Amino acid sequence: MGNIEGTINNNVIDSSNSMFLHPSDIPGISLVHTPFSDTGFGGWKTCVIVSLSARNKIGFVDGTCPKPAENSPHIKQWNRCNNKIISWLTSSLSPEIAESVQYSETAESIWEQLNKIYRAVNGTKVFEIKKELASTMQGALDISSYFKKLNLWDELRVMRSNKVNACACPIKVELLKEEEEDRVHQFLIGLNDIYVEVKSNILMIQPIPSLDST
């Protein structure tokens, strides 16, 4: 049946099948620690994808586990899974946003709506992130705390990932290299002056090391 993994024989569902439900797969659980409430969509989405993938249910939102025909022997089980995932998604949203998708009949349609509304690259939001990054300096922070403040780079990357992923491989590799170089430069610019020698040494390395290794 399409891309659904595993087998279903005599109503016994193999545990590798996307429609297999574990006893712990109860309705109403939240897939994230903090429900999504209009900001930080990229991070929220990543957490949801990880959680659904761990439960082997990602196919219900990305379309790889499509709804069977109404006369299929699998339709009831698919509906059970779909409804549970809908409850998980809405429990992972703020009440206001959950209300906006409450009439959706499938988890996939909820996923598509949220992506259409919140994943679109917003010029104002990109500007705000860049502005905050430009003004981020180490100051009285230790290196670890300063590094964490620059995590806005991750949100910016998520907002732009559609464009990067659409590129041909050679171009994509170059874009990722340039992005990582920008992150390193931003990190070095904000470091306190006592690290001037360290900055110079890092900038002399070719190719420039990644931020994780600096």
Side-chain angles (χ1 to χ4, degrees), residues 42-43 119 121-131 133-134 150-164 179 182-183 186:
R119 178 65 184 274
V121 177
N122 183 301
T124 301
K125 180 63 176 177
V126 171
F127 175 79
E128 290 175 352
I129 291 176
K130 287 185 174 181
K131 181 179 179 180
L133 283 169
L150 292 175
N151 281 344
L152 283 170
W153 269 109
D154 295 329
E155 185 173 351
L156 195 60
R157 179 190 290 113
V158 169
M159 295 179 72
R160 292 170 159 178
S161 61
N162 275 345
K163 292 182 178 180
V164 174
E179 180 186 276
D182 288 343
R183 294 185 67 192
Q186 178 70 51

Side-chain angles (χ1 to χ4, degrees), residues 1-8 14 16-19 56 64-65:
M1 192 188 96
N3 294 324
I4 297 177
E5 297 179 353
T7 58
I8 303 179
D14 188 278
S16 65
N17 192 289
S18 296
M19 289 192 288
N56 196 23
T64 56
C65 184

Side-chain angles (χ1 to χ4, degrees), residues 31-32 40-53 58 111 119 154 158:
L31 300 171
V32 295
F41 179 72
W44 177 87
K45 179 178 179 179
T46 299
C47 290
V48 170
I49 289 175
V50 169
S51 186
L52 287 177
S53 296
I58 193 67
W111 195 246
R119 178 65 184 274
D154 295 329
V158 169

Side-chain angles (χ1 to χ4, degrees), residues 77-166:
Q77 184 64 19
W78 189 93
N79 283 333
R80 283 187 65 203
C81 291
N82 176 65
N83 288 335
K84 285 195 177 184
I85 297 167
I86 287 177
S87 75
W88 296 348
L89 289 174
T90 54
S91 295
S92 304
L93 299 167
S94 68
E96 295 77 16
I97 296 178
E99 184 177 356
S100 71
V101 296
Q102 65 179 330
Y103 297 110
S104 300
E105 296 183 353
T106 66
E108 183 180 2
S109 65
I110 291 177
W111 195 246
E112 289 177 348
Q113 288 180 62
L114 293 173
N115 274 278
K116 182 177 181 180
I117 297 171
Y118 299 104
R119 178 65 184 274
V121 177
N122 183 301
T124 301
K125 180 63 176 177
V126 171
F127 175 79
E128 290 175 352
I129 291 176
K130 287 185 174 181
K131 181 179 179 180
E132 186 168 350
L133 283 169
S135 62
T136 299
M137 309 294 285
Q138 180 187 356
L141 299 173
D142 57 35
I143 294 293
S144 178
S145 299
Y146 168 56
F147 180 81
K148 289 178 181 178
K149 284 193 69 175
L150 292 175
N151 281 344
L152 283 170
W153 269 109
D154 295 329
E155 185 173 351
L156 195 60
R157 179 190 290 113
V158 169
M159 295 179 72
R160 292 170 159 178
S161 61
N162 275 345
K163 292 182 178 180
V164 174
N165 291 333

Side-chain angles (χ1 to χ4, degrees), residues 163-164 166-178:
K163 292 182 178 180
V164 174
C167 293
C169 288
I171 300 176
K172 180 177 179 180
V173 170
E174 289 304 314
L175 286 174
L176 292 174
K177 284 182 179 179
E178 289 183 4

Side-chain angles (χ1 to χ4, degrees), residues 1-74:
M1 192 188 96
N3 294 324
I4 297 177
E5 297 179 353
T7 58
I8 303 179
N9 295 311
N10 299 322
N11 295 322
V12 178
I13 302 176
D14 188 278
S15 60
S16 65
N17 192 289
S18 296
M19 289 192 288
F20 175 81
L21 287 172
H22 191 273
S24 64
D25 291 335
I26 60 176
I29 61 175
S30 179
L31 300 171
V32 295
H33 292 299
T34 305
F36 174 62
S37 57
D38 202 36
T39 58
F41 179 72
W44 177 87
K45 179 178 179 179
T46 299
C47 290
V48 170
I49 289 175
V50 169
S51 186
L52 287 177
S53 296
R55 291 174 168 83
N56 196 23
K57 296 293 182 287
I58 193 67
F60 282 85
V61 298
D62 69 7
T64 56
C65 184
K67 184 177 183 179
E70 290 299 328
N71 60 352
S72 168
H74 312 318

